[in-house]
Amino acid sequence: MTSRPVTRRRALTGLGAAAGAALISVTLPPLARAKGNIRDVRLQAGPTTARLIGPEGPETAVWAYNGRTPGPVIRAMQGERLRVHFKNTLEQPTTIHWHGIRLANAMDGVPYLTQPPIEPGQTFTYEFDAFDAGTYWYHPHFNSSEQVAMGLAGALIIDEPAPPPVDRDVLWVIDDWRLTKDAAIASFDRPFHDMVHGGRFGNTVTVNGQIANDVPVTPGERIRLRIVNVANARIFRLIFTGHRPWLAAIDGHPVPPRQFDEGQLIIAPGSRADLIIDMTGKPGERFTVIDNSPEGIRYRLADLAYGPAPATQPPARRAPEAWADNPLPEPDLDKATRLELVMEGGAMGGLESALYKGEKLTGRELARQHGMAWSFNGVVHPPMQYGEHSHPMFTFKKGESVILAIRNDTAFQHPIHLHGHTFRVLTRNGKPVPDQPWQDTVLLTVDGEAEIAFVADNPGDWMLHCHIMEHQKSGMMGHFRVA
Ligand code: C2O
Ligand code: CU
């Protein structure tokens, strides 16, 4: 089985994209004053159409929040409480997961595990406090492989009381889509190849729901660029030609700003990065932001297009400084419980055998009979259903410090995501990670390892899974319990 042929070359590389199309940089509105400390938001998921490949291109039937893909930016101040009144107008059940947010288990949006699926026509109110500032996102956790690929994803921004000084705060929700030559979303009915390889790759990359476009910038300005990767499978490798951005936050949490190595920023599905970029170009210059994709195609993501010089001389710039940390519980590494998580499966290596619902099956049987391809610690976890929760992979006492050593024994990369908790990344591939950043998603390289540490302080059952949606669906997920 091969993946669908790539048909729309222009959309693919975006190189010939029409000039003068709609702007893709969304400048976020200034903060509205909160009336109390609860912010009410209305959100509705349903079918609509979008023009992904430019204003002249055909329309694409998508699923969207409030009629737009990506969905509306949900925004609150750190310390406020969000109340999201949600209605499902899709023809299938859904839920919303608030990716990266530490919240009460009942609000986590995992069907069967934390709430019943929200049926078509039904409503559900999500309510949670914004403890941590930063860049987060929301997406369905029901039939995610299809629902997210159809367009259901949006950014969630929690503002710091004292944000870093910049001239503009800009958001890029980056995505990729698998489109037919008529710009329809390619079918989901032959998922096997995607499942056992790197997931459902698209052939069209977008920023804020649009293919490559101009992002107008002003010489001398300093921008905070928030990037959210909502793709099912694409690990973006971004190159900002002509610029030297600082990486200033990962998964919402500030890190000492560092100009990134080799000019390439790797952002896996589910992950976020906040950059500080000084616009050092001259009036009239243009610089391309490239996705250096592993298939050897260099996608043009956007062009930074310099306008005229500002009327007043911009101030001299110093290197940006880290902003205030979030109130995260520090794991006690000396007393921490140490556990292993070994990932196996997929094509080129594969699964010899694994446990599935208590029965030992060969890799072949798992694939043929159950459409399963990946295991955690020798167990393939079936998709959750009523009364059929698999057992928690781990159970922790509330407040327990944990070091999880993750090993990837597969021929693919996997971004591993934990719900309800934020962890420090201690080491990757045996080397200490500078500053041990706080993350909720960590990318495991092929045959790679990572050690993460966190305090299991949030009671409930929490997912732990690969954020490549097709891997999650075919066994690379499970849950842990904090009691
Ligand atoms: Cu963003 Cu369980 O996922
Ligand atoms: Cu994976």
Side-chain angles (χ1 to χ4, degrees), residues 12-271:
L12 271 187
T13 57
L15 288 170
L23 306 181
I24 53 171
S25 109
V26 173
T27 301
L28 301 163
L31 285 172
R33 263 277 114 77
K35 292 203 190 70
N37 54 354
I38 294 187
R39 269 179 201 260
D40 285 281
V41 175
R42 290 195 176 275
L43 209 56
Q44 182 165 320
T48 182
T49 58
R51 291 198 190 273
L52 304 172
I53 60 168
E56 279 115 66
E59 291 197 316
T60 303
V62 297
W63 296 343
Y65 292 115
N66 293 4
R68 344 191 326 218
T69 178
V73 178
I74 298 180
R75 202 158 190 171
M77 280 295 290
Q78 186 171 19
E80 287 184 332
R81 191 168 174 81
L82 270 162
R83 191 158 58 196
V84 182
H85 306 269
F86 174 68
K87 179 160 194 199
N88 179 15
T89 62
L90 299 166
E91 281 170 10
Q92 56 179 262
T94 191
T95 59
I96 305 180
H97 171 58
W98 310 93
H99 184 120
I101 300 288
R102 297 184 297 134
L103 39 53
N105 194 245
M107 297 291 125
D108 198 42
V110 178
Y112 309 108
L113 191 66
T114 71
Q115 71 172 104
I118 306 163
E119 298 293 332
Q122 279 188 355
T123 61
F124 189 88
T125 303
Y126 290 98
E127 194 170 330
F128 52 91
D129 291 311
F131 292 119
D132 301 326
T135 306
Y136 303 93
W137 67 297
Y138 60 96
H139 63 80
H141 223 287
F142 186 96
N143 188 18
S144 329
S145 168
E146 183 174 5
Q147 292 191 5
V148 175
M150 286 296 292
L152 290 168
L156 167 60
I157 294 177
I158 309 300
D159 282 289
E160 300 86 12
V166 293
D167 299 309
R168 277 199 298 147
D169 189 330
V170 176
L171 170 67
W172 286 5
V173 175
I174 57 178
D175 200 354
D176 81 340
W177 307 75
R178 186 179 292 178
L179 300 182
T180 67
K181 63 178 187 310
D182 309 315
I185 294 179
S187 93
F188 293 84
D189 20 286
R190 291 161 72 204
F192 192 73
H193 181 275
D194 296 337
M195 220 168 75
V196 298
H197 292 85
R200 182 181 166 102
F201 268 86
N203 50 22
T204 306
V205 299
T206 57
V207 175
N208 297 336
Q210 292 273 297
I211 56 161
N213 252 312
D214 280 1
V215 177
V217 298
T218 303
E221 71 175 335
R222 174 170 278 186
I223 286 178
R224 175 181 187 169
L225 178 60
R226 302 170 188 263
I227 303 175
V228 184
N229 181 356
V230 306
N232 276 39
R234 176 175 299 269
I235 298 164
F236 281 88
R237 291 171 177 77
L238 302 185
I239 298 174
F240 290 78
T241 61
H243 292 77
R244 295 203 62 205
W246 280 274
L247 175 60
I250 303 173
D251 289 354
H253 306 281
V255 292
R258 192 188 303 275
Q259 282 172 311
F260 39 84
D261 300 343
E262 295 154 15
Q264 185 165 282
L265 175 71
I266 297 178
I267 311 184
S271 305

Side-chain angles (χ1 to χ4, degrees), residues 281-427:
K282 297 192 187 60
E285 283 192 309
R286 305 171 69 83
F287 295 92
T288 300
V289 181
I290 294 166
D291 175 37
N292 191 20
S293 91
E295 325 87 285
I297 306 171
R298 292 185 134 213
Y299 292 83
R300 188 182 76 137
L301 208 68
D303 271 3
L304 304 177
Y306 278 81
T312 56
Q313 187 71 12
R317 299 290 188 190
R318 278 195 240 129
E321 283 166 27
W323 53 90
D325 287 333
N326 283 316
L328 293 159
E330 193 64 60
D332 181 341
L333 299 183
D334 296 328
K335 296 210 183 93
T337 309
R338 195 186 160 89
L339 294 163
E340 280 215 326
L341 183 70
V342 179
M343 304 145 67
E344 291 178 283
M348 300 180 270
L351 215 48
E352 217 163 274
S353 67
L355 279 184
Y356 183 78
K357 297 185 181 175
E359 202 189 341
K360 188 160 182 160
L361 298 178
T362 65
R364 194 161 234 259
E365 290 167 330
L366 283 160
R368 293 254 165 106
Q369 297 165 21
H370 303 288
M372 291 287 152
W374 308 90
S375 69
F376 276 153
N377 291 349
V379 178
V380 174
H381 295 266
M384 284 173 194
Q385 280 166 33
Y386 279 121
E388 265 199 25
H389 292 173
S390 53
H391 294 294
M393 293 190 290
F394 313 111
T395 299
F396 303 121
K397 266 202 303 306
K398 183 174 185 273
E400 189 172 345
S401 286
V402 179
I403 296 175
L404 191 60
I406 310 173
R407 201 172 81 226
N408 176 15
D409 283 349
T410 81
F412 297 88
Q413 303 191 67
H414 305 279
I416 296 295
H417 171 52
L418 263 65
H419 284 210
H421 295 77
T422 305
F423 50 79
R424 278 198 187 277
V425 182
L426 307 178
T427 65

